[in-house]
Amino acid sequence: MTAAVLSLDDLRHYAVARTLFAPTTLQRAMERLGFVQADPIRAPARAQDLILRHRVRNYRAGDLERRYARLGIEEDFFVNYGFLPRTVQVLMHPRSAHKRWSPTRHKRAQAILEYLQRKGAAHPRRIDEHFAHGKVTNYWGGSSNATTHLLDDMHYRSMLRVVKRANGTRIYAPHEYPAAHDPHAALDRLVDVIMQTYAPMPVRSFDPLVRRLRVAAPQWRNHITAALRRAHERLAHAKIEGVDWYWPKAEDPRAFRATRDAGVRLLAPFDPIVWDRRRFELFWSWAYRFEAYTPPAKRKLGYYALPLLWQDRVIGWGNLRVEDDRLVSDFGYVAGRAPGDAAFETALADELERVRTFLSLR
């Protein structure tokens, strides 16, 4: 396919329409998305719930957590931490972590594993009460529970799986994975899931994302470059306005030219439409930034600004919060003001009503 028959507008229509598919069941939505990034912040709900509410019929905040144990999905690290179908997650295991444990850490992990083999599953608080491992410095420089930190590491190293959550806390149980898969076939499938989730992608975003599989499947670090080369050969691609783009070969972006979502959507910061910030700027000519960890005085959009999609263009952002069981919202617009369009006002009101239903507010 050549740039002569494709435009950036075509790719933008395609990117929005292919991921905002008609709402379906939670299981089918997970399979179609391929991967849903998780985030613990609730503003006004967790990212995974904000992503799924657009794609699952009658979805309510917390449904993924409530129904997790009955679905064929897993929590794990992929290109980020999140949820993905078990048939995909198993391809990354058993992992052989790149960094070796100290003898003390290995001994503690073995003791926890034996404890969980007797119990079956246990809340991290109960495990910590039993072992009292103390505190450690976490990734952000703060203090974390050492037992929780070790459980996360054991999960990553294929010793445990998340069987459910209790009020947002991961509950682990012992787990054994089957023998390792063929690295070429497994990596090709994992690369295809990346493209399934985030297509179309500029090459400068796609290549680094594939290289993140060195963390998802560290046992195959030396095979990643070859997998990326195979992906470049088998995926559809075109150079448009000087940028190389890739997408699944079975899909034709031109087929989405007539597809338009007539409504307003408030998207999660990690929604597939928003996630790739480089693509975001190419499509909508402005820079979205996630500012939850930015000092308040330096924020431009807000603590947890939700990109505001109107038809097939992201024209601004909204900040939502719940006060006294009521939804409170404020908006900002790239143009400095809202579209002077009665259809937009109606669509925005409809979206806010959908959010209230999703949050089970009055």
Side-chain angles (χ1 to χ4, degrees):
M1 189 171 295
T2 66
V5 295
L6 270 178
S7 68
L8 195 60
D9 282 348
D10 289 328
L11 288 187
R12 186 178 63 249
H13 302 328
Y14 167 52
V16 173
R18 75 180 298 277
T19 186
L20 286 178
F21 47 82
T24 183
T25 65
L26 179 52
Q27 182 73 56
R28 290 176 179 171
M30 288 296 306
E31 291 169 355
R32 185 157 178 178
L33 284 167
F35 172 70
V36 174
Q37 186 168 332
D39 188 80
I41 296 174
R42 298 191 193 189
R46 293 190 178 101
Q48 54 267 36
D49 291 323
L50 292 169
I51 292 169
L52 289 167
R53 77 178 184 90
H54 295 292
R55 294 144 173 116
V56 178
R57 286 192 301 267
N58 303 317
Y59 190 84
R60 299 293 183 270
D63 276 356
L64 181 63
E65 181 176 316
R66 285 187 287 268
R67 298 169 58 187
Y68 173 86
R70 302 193 301 274
L71 298 168
I73 62 174
E74 295 286 333
E75 285 194 39
D76 208 337
F77 186 91
F78 181 43
V79 293
N80 285 291
Y81 190 85
F83 300 84
L84 64 170
R86 187 171 298 145
T87 53
V88 176
Q89 185 257 2
V90 73
L91 296 175
M92 302 183 290
H93 293 272
R95 289 186 178 120
S96 54
H98 187 62
K99 185 177 180 181
R100 294 177 63 87
W101 274 343
S102 68
T104 298
R105 192 166 182 80
H106 180 81
K107 184 177 179 179
R108 286 181 173 181
Q110 190 61 38
I112 288 177
L113 184 61
E114 292 171 1
Y115 174 84
L116 287 174
Q117 286 170 340
R118 295 193 303 270
K119 297 288 186 179
H123 194 287
R125 189 185 308 113
R126 298 287 177 263
I127 300 171
D128 186 58
E129 289 171 353
H130 185 81
F131 290 99
H133 289 145
K135 300 288 184 180
V136 295
T137 301
N138 62 29
Y139 178 82
W140 296 275
S143 179
S144 292
N145 187 293
T147 300
T148 300
H149 194 268
L150 181 53
L151 287 168
D152 292 346
D153 205 358
M154 292 171 67
H155 177 214
Y156 174 77
R157 292 172 184 246
S158 307
M159 300 170 72
L160 308 174
R161 65 175 290 262
V162 179
V163 293
K164 64 178 181 178
R165 283 189 178 231
N167 295 321
T169 300
R170 291 187 286 263
I171 308 299
Y172 295 105
H175 189 70
E176 291 187 12
Y177 287 92
H181 295 76
D182 171 66
H184 295 129
L187 284 171
D188 286 350
R189 173 64 180 129
L190 294 173
V191 171
D192 287 345
V193 173
I194 290 174
M195 189 54 71
Q196 175 185 336
T197 306
Y198 297 115
M201 296 191 72
V203 67
R204 287 182 60 197
S205 299
F206 175 60
D207 287 9
L209 199 55
V210 170
R211 292 192 180 101
R212 288 197 191 191
L213 293 176
R214 292 173 178 170
V215 180
Q219 65 274 24
W220 297 327
R221 292 171 64 89
N222 295 333
H223 297 277
I224 301 295
T225 299
L228 184 56
R229 184 170 57 249
R230 292 194 299 273
H232 284 181
E233 293 171 352
R234 75 174 180 275
L235 293 169
H237 65 277
K239 184 182 286 290
I240 300 171
E241 298 184 15
V243 176
D244 289 311
W245 292 83
Y246 286 84
W247 61 89
K249 197 165 188 176
E251 298 180 7
D252 183 356
R254 295 169 298 182
F256 295 84
R257 282 175 173 169
T259 304
R260 295 290 188 278
D261 188 311
V264 164
R265 309 271 192 147
L266 284 161
L267 303 172
F270 311 113
D271 191 280
I273 295 174
V274 178
W275 188 88
D276 181 2
R277 306 296 193 249
R278 181 178 287 109
R279 188 184 80 169
F280 188 101
E281 292 190 40
L282 289 170
F283 281 165
W284 294 294
S285 302
W286 66 280
Y288 169 75
R289 297 290 182 263
F290 179 62
E291 299 179 328
Y293 302 109
T294 301
K298 295 184 178 181
R299 290 175 188 154
K300 296 180 179 179
L301 307 183
Y303 171 69
Y304 204 79
L306 306 178
L308 192 156
L309 180 72
W310 166 228
Q311 297 177 346
D312 70 340
R313 293 185 179 272
V314 180
I315 63 169
W317 60 92
N319 284 278
L320 306 183
R321 64 187 185 278
V322 177
E323 295 181 358
D324 298 326
D325 204 34
R326 295 180 61 193
L327 184 67
V328 179
S329 59
D330 60 83
F331 298 93
Y333 297 93
V334 178
R337 56 184 176 83
D341 186 333
F344 170 77
E345 294 179 3
T346 299
L348 179 58
D350 290 345
E351 172 68 344
L352 291 174
E353 186 57 34
R354 287 191 292 270
V355 173
R356 291 185 189 95
T357 300
F358 156 74
L359 295 173
S360 301
L361 300 177
R362 291 176 298 189

